Amino acid sequence: MKKNVYEKIFDISNENMQKSGNNFVHPKSAFLCYTELDPHKVDLIELFRIKADNPEFLDIAYINLLNRPVDPEAYQSWKKHFNMPEQQFRRLVIKRLVTSKEANVCHKRIYNNIFVKHKNKSQKDTLRSRAMQKLMPVYKKLPEKIKAPIRRFVGGN
């Protein structure tokens, strides 16, 4: 099978890393998944079906849902779940990442979200959601000096 250009880039980089006495922290499968999938949307059923073991899947899920690799502290925390059955582990990872505050900030379109049960939204939640949709374009145009206090005020980082 012919290698794609990203696989060649990874292999060359990995070889150079090994020659210098280092290794990539994250697996090749996570890198290749990130290059192949749409960076603006995630189909959770497609993500769930990716062929990977539990540690690889964790990397793939973080990259696709949060736009970043797993940080060392989170990886250590997830390690205790690596021995779970594959489907159970994947459901847990997807549920926790999709419902995290960080996932809300990434603004990814999530499709086929069958892993998280949705609460019946109240009228108040709907009004808040509509208000946020109207305010977001204004917020995006603000200078960072003003955005930071607003994020802290609404509970972000």
Side-chain angles (χ1 to χ4, degrees), residues 41-79:
K41 63 183 181 180
V42 180
D43 182 329
L44 294 182
I45 292 175
E46 187 179 314
L47 179 66
F48 188 81
R49 291 181 179 157
I50 288 175
K51 293 187 186 321
D53 61 20
N54 286 349
E56 285 177 322
F57 180 78
L58 181 66
D59 275 303
I60 291 167
Y62 261 79
I63 287 172
N64 284 285
L65 291 168
L66 303 181
N67 292 328
R68 67 174 182 84
V70 185
D71 54 282
E73 297 82 23
Y75 188 85
Q76 289 302 316
S77 173
W78 280 104
K79 254 181 147 175

Side-chain angles (χ1 to χ4, degrees), residues 3 6-16 28:
K3 287 185 178 183
Y6 294 110
E7 192 170 0
K8 289 178 186 175
I9 290 170
F10 185 92
D11 290 342
I12 292 167
S13 301
N14 190 40
E15 187 179 313
N16 289 337
K28 181 180 186 177

Side-chain angles (χ1 to χ4, degrees), residues 91-157:
R91 281 189 183 96
L92 178 65
V93 169
I94 289 171
K95 183 177 180 180
R96 285 197 186 160
L97 294 184
V98 168
T99 58
S100 71
K101 288 182 182 180
E102 188 176 352
N104 290 333
V105 177
C106 290
H107 302 292
K108 292 235 182 177
R109 290 185 183 253
I110 305 291
Y111 294 97
N112 297 316
N113 190 354
I114 61 172
F115 303 98
V116 179
K117 292 182 182 178
H118 297 285
K119 298 176 186 174
N120 291 333
K121 292 190 175 193
S122 68
Q123 182 74 16
K124 188 177 181 181
D125 288 342
T126 305
L127 289 173
R128 181 173 185 240
S129 176
R130 281 188 291 192
M132 291 301 289
Q133 286 176 345
K134 299 283 185 191
L135 293 172
M136 190 54 78
V138 175
Y139 169 79
K140 288 180 179 180
K141 293 178 183 176
L142 294 172
E144 189 57 38
K145 287 182 189 177
I146 297 173
K147 284 182 181 179
I150 292 172
R151 280 195 305 270
R152 284 192 298 276
F153 178 74
V154 296
N157 37 344

